[in-house]
């Protein structure tokens, strides 16, 4: 009989002081996503004998249909996998078309960078998610690729009932995207957004998924689907070509890490913004954060200021790794982070410039199985429904990640052919003593590293259990001294932060709001003790297990 390990008793206070509709889920096989049908598809795949990677691919494919406001078959993706021996990072973000240069955009839109489009073909880079699913499955999957995609094909063919929060975000997108190429045909077939609980069918996506399943993902980049994407781009004035699609490959990468309280947070390295969470934690280690009460103004003020310092460096320096002028090591240098921590004033909010180290709409899901494999995966179309373009006949909703490029030739994130843009989506993974502890993520634009830091410090320093840390009200910083506070933040706390110079504002982006997290914490031997999982009530999702 297998015995429980010493790691079983997590260091949590299991009470939850925050209003919630969710309780932690305990099981030996777990899937947590932001949409229930996707979580159930992953769980079904585990019950059919699949492992956590099979489950993650199944969930990712289903959620590309059932939460289309956040992602689709034309998304980008990142993942971190614990396979039983080590961590493996996958960067499946797309690359720029071969025509894209600053001059290309100036010719089309004039010299003002603000005139460039937010939607449309000139925001579409090569979609990486499908290649990411295939790469994950080929390296780690146990079942056939067609088995993993079977639930998604069934939902596309037979349809599904639209869930409440997805419906609300779908409805909000209509004024922005109606009339875009293919959008109305695919997402507004009745001339309107669907109602809550309304049956919705995606026959084009079913056709695409069958070709993807049969070809191991190759058709998307080198077959009928690739031909359709390139032809639709040409007809619509875009320049994404068959060659751009054919040349695309996802990249396996080593994760980067930062210690905190005996654990180590791991993120995917740039071109993503995960390093922002690592910089922030590195700064916080040189503060008195752990000595403050978790709901005090001191706790929040110090964390906010550390996060602002992190973003100052990230926005100045992070890009496709080949174009960066600083290394990850320089940005995470211990002495440099100690210097940055000294800039924080306990009683005054500030705006921060980048430092100078020594030179030398998104979904998140997690899956874990009784064998110990854990997966942290995120995929996104970027701004709710992405570019607004949907490839006819195949229902492929294309992302607008190209908008993440700079047009400044002096910036490392300046657009160039075949280059990956600065990316907001970031999966996370927590280790302890070289063993896996938690796969987790918080979706939502620049809220993602902020969500990583806020939930993780609550768990590791304030010992709040995952569902409580997830439910706790959050803050979000966007620029300058502006600070958004979620409903539920105590009025006294808001008043104290305002007194220190934070300018409390109401956010205008109802799509991104305060993010949505999924958390799977390993309790010990996965086959005996299993995991505890939490799912954010800010979305329709759930954690489920057996």
């Amino acid at each position: 009989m297998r015995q429980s390990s010493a790691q079983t008793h997590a260091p949590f206070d299991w009470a939850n002081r925050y209003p919630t509709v969710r309780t932690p889920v305990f099981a030996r096989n777990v899937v947590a996503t932001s949409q229930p049908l996707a979580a159930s598809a992953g769980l079904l795949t585990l019950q059919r004998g699949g492992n956590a990677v099979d489950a993650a691919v199944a969930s990712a494919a289903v959620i590309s249909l059932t939460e289309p406001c956040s992602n689709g078959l034309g998304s980008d993706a990142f993942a971190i996998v614990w396979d039983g021996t080590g961590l493996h990072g996958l960067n499946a973000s797309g690359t720029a078309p071969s025509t894209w240069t600053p001059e290309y955009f100036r010719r089309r839109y004039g010299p003002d960078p603000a005139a460039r489009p937010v939607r449309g073909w000139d925001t579409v880079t090569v979609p990486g998610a499908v290649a990411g699913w295939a790469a994950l499955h080929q390296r780690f999957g146990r079942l056939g690729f067609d088995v993993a995609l079977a639930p998604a094909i069934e939902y596309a063919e037979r349809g599904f009932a639209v869930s409440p929060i997805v419906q609300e975000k779908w409805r909000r997108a209509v004024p922005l995207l109606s009339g875009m190429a293919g959008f109305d045909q695919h997402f507004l077939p009745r001339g309107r957004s669907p109602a809550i609980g309304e049956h919705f069918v995606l026959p084009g996506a079913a056709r695409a998924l069958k070709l993807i399943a049969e070809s191991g993902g190759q058709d998307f980049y080198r077959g009928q689907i690739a031909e359709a994407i390139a032809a639709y781009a040409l007809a619509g004035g875009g320049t994404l070509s068959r060659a751009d699609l054919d040349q695309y490959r996802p990249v396996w990468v080593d994760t980067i890490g930062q210690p905190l309280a005996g654990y180590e947070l791991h993120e995917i390295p740039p071109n993503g913004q995960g390093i922002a969470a690592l910089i922030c934690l590195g700064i916080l280690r040189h503060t008195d954060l752990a000595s403050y009460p978790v709901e005090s103004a001191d706790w929040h003020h110090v964390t906010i200021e550390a996060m602002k310092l992190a973003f100052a460096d990230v926005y100045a320096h992070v890009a496709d790794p080949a174009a960066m002028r600083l290394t990850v090591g320089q940005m995470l240098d211990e002495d440099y982070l100690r210097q940055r921590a000294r800039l924080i004033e306990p009683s005054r909010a500030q705006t921060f410039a980048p430092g100078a180290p020594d030179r030398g709409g998104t979904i998140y899901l997690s899956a874990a199985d009784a064998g110990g494999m854990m997966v942290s995966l995120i995929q996104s179309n970027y701004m709710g429904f992405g570019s607004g373009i949907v490839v006819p006949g195949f229902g492929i909703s294309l992302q607008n990640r190209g908008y993440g490029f700079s047009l400044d030739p002096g910036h490392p994130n300046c657009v160039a052919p075949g280059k990956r843009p600065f990316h907001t989506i970031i999966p996370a993974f927590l280790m302890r003593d070289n063993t896996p502890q938690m796969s987790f993520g918080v979706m939502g634009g620049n809220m993602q590293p902020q969500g990583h830091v806020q939930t993780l410090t609550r768990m590791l320093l304030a010992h709040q259990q995952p569902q409580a840390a997830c439910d706790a009200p959050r803050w979000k910083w966007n620029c300058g001294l502006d600070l958004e506070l979620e409903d539920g933040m105590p009025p006294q706390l808001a008043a104290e932060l305002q007194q220190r110079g934070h300018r409390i504002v109401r956010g205008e982006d109802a799509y991104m709001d305060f993010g949505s997290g999924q958390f799977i914490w390993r309790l010990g031997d996965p086959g005996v003790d299993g995991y505890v999982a939490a799912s954010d009530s800010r979305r329709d999702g759930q954690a489920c297990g057996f």
Side-chain angles (χ1 to χ4, degrees), residues 374-400:
M374 302 176 72
V375 181
S376 180
L377 185 148
I378 197 163
Q379 64 189 30
S380 173
N381 270 359
Y382 194 25
M383 302 174 184
F385 286 100
S387 66
I389 294 171
V390 186
V391 181
F394 292 103
I396 295 168
S397 174
L398 296 167
Q399 39 83 338
N400 61 335

Side-chain angles (χ1 to χ4, degrees), residues 122-140:
D122 280 335
T123 66
V124 180
T125 54
V126 176
V130 169
W133 301 347
L136 285 167
H137 181 267
Q138 184 175 16
R139 184 167 182 179
F140 298 113

Side-chain angles (χ1 to χ4, degrees), residues 178-489:
S178 183
M180 295 293 294
F183 183 85
D184 293 7
Q185 175 189 357
H186 190 69
F187 289 119
L188 308 175
R190 300 177 180 92
R192 56 170 174 79
S193 59
I196 295 173
E198 187 170 352
H199 187 72
F200 201 83
V201 181
L202 298 167
R207 181 182 173 206
L209 281 162
K210 288 178 180 177
L211 289 171
I212 290 166
E214 291 166 4
S215 66
Q218 291 297 309
D219 195 272
F220 193 100
Y221 300 92
R222 293 158 199 98
Q224 296 179 54
I225 299 174
E227 185 175 349
I229 294 172
Y232 200 47
L234 183 63
T239 60
L240 184 66
S241 69
R242 284 290 303 271
D244 294 323
L245 292 159
D246 180 67
Q247 293 165 11
Y248 177 75
R249 301 291 186 280
V251 180
W252 290 102
V253 296
D254 292 329
T255 59
I256 55 178
Q258 181 71 260
L260 180 73
Y263 297 83
E264 188 171 45
L265 174 62
H266 285 257
E267 303 271 0
I268 297 287
N271 54 312
Q273 65 173 340
I275 193 172
L278 302 184
I279 293 171
C280 182
L281 290 186
I283 292 170
L284 288 174
R285 286 194 296 108
H286 299 292
T287 69
D288 295 325
L289 179 66
S291 67
Y292 301 139
V294 67
E295 301 301 353
S296 67
D298 289 329
W299 173 286
H300 290 287
H301 171 77
V302 168
T303 311
I304 292 163
E305 295 298 281
M307 196 75 250
K308 287 155 63 174
L309 282 162
F311 273 127
D313 279 351
V314 166
Y315 290 152
H317 303 305
V318 168
D320 188 310
M324 286 178 61
R325 302 182 186 113
L326 294 176
T327 66
V328 167
Q330 289 167 333
M331 294 182 73
L332 295 178
D333 178 76
E334 188 74 7
D335 288 337
Y336 173 65
L337 297 181
R338 185 181 294 110
Q339 293 170 25
R340 297 291 274 173
R342 292 184 187 130
L343 297 177
I344 297 174
E345 294 189 18
S347 60
R348 185 172 70 94
Q350 302 177 75
T351 55
F352 297 104
D358 289 338
R359 292 183 180 270
T362 303
I363 67 91
Y364 173 80
L365 64 90
S366 182
D369 62 39
M373 180 176 281
M374 302 176 72
V375 181
S376 180
L377 185 148
I378 197 163
Q379 64 189 30
S380 173
N381 270 359
Y382 194 25
M383 302 174 184
F385 286 100
S387 66
I389 294 171
V390 186
V391 181
F394 292 103
I396 295 168
S397 174
L398 296 167
Q399 39 83 338
N400 61 335
R401 281 290 166 186
Y403 188 70
F405 279 118
S406 169
L407 297 183
D408 178 2
H411 196 286
N413 187 42
C414 184
V415 66
K419 188 175 182 178
R420 286 178 163 85
F422 174 83
H423 241 280
T424 58
I425 59 174
I426 51 174
F429 207 99
L430 190 68
M431 297 286 287
R432 185 179 187 183
D433 299 329
N434 297 315
T435 60
Q437 186 63 78
M438 180 171 65
S439 55
F440 75 104
V442 179
M443 63 196 234
N446 72 338
M447 185 64 208
Q448 293 180 58
Q450 300 184 64
H452 289 192
V453 168
Q454 290 179 66
T455 54
L456 199 59
T457 52
R458 284 179 177 276
M459 288 184 222
L460 302 188
L461 301 181
H463 307 294
Q464 294 184 348
Q465 52 104 335
Q467 189 64 56
C470 181
D471 292 332
R474 297 174 186 152
W475 46 260
K476 180 168 72 170
W477 174 84
N478 286 315
C479 63
L481 297 175
D482 289 357
L483 185 70
E484 296 180 44
L485 297 181
E486 191 171 20
D487 291 344
M489 282 283 191

